[in-house]
Amino acid sequence: MRVERTDQFKADYQRLSEHERELFRASSRIFNVACDRFIETRDPSSWPASLRVKAVVNAPGIFEMTWSFGGPDGRATWQWTTVVTANGVSVLAVRWRRIGGHQIFRQP
């Protein structure tokens, strides 16, 4: 799965503890496999229940992935986008928008 990261995501990521970063990296590996499966099938059951992937209310096209509700709270927002590969082919990708706890739903 190809990914992009917003500047806000990069700043949020820098504020995470190393433990929080490890949890995200582990979750993102599972997420990437699920993304590939979803792209192939368009089946909503492609998303593992443990990642709690859902649309963000009142934010069309933005999704949330939550891998932990406590100790530490872990969630990230993302959206589908397209990128052009080196050989000129457009492919679906994920644009990570924000990462952290529930506070990511407030304005930066």
Side-chain angles (χ1 to χ4, degrees):
M1 173 55 45
R2 295 183 186 272
V3 298
E4 292 181 344
R5 294 163 192 87
T6 64
D7 289 341
Q8 186 61 57
F9 179 91
K10 292 173 188 175
D12 291 344
Y13 188 83
Q14 292 303 311
R15 286 189 285 274
L16 298 178
S17 69
E18 187 54 38
H19 177 66
E20 290 169 316
R21 291 178 191 173
E22 288 173 17
L23 291 172
F24 173 72
R25 287 190 296 264
S27 297
S28 65
R29 285 189 290 274
I30 297 166
F31 177 80
N32 289 343
V33 170
C35 282
D36 290 337
R37 190 169 47 247
F38 180 81
I39 289 169
E40 289 175 19
T41 66
R42 299 293 191 222
D43 182 358
S45 70
S46 300
W47 305 114
S50 63
L51 296 183
R52 299 174 196 93
V53 172
K54 64 180 186 174
V56 174
V57 176
N58 295 324
I62 308 299
F63 299 88
E64 169 188 4
M65 176 182 78
T66 304
W67 59 91
S68 176
F69 281 109
D73 182 16
R75 58 190 74 220
T77 58
W78 59 278
Q79 67 189 112
W80 291 111
T81 189
T82 55
V83 296
V84 178
T85 64
N87 59 355
V89 177
S90 292
V91 296
L92 273 176
V94 166
R95 178 180 294 134
W96 291 108
R97 299 172 54 86
R98 301 290 312 269
I99 186 170
H102 199 261
Q103 77 278 5
I104 67 173
F105 295 105
R106 297 186 199 115
Q107 292 294 324

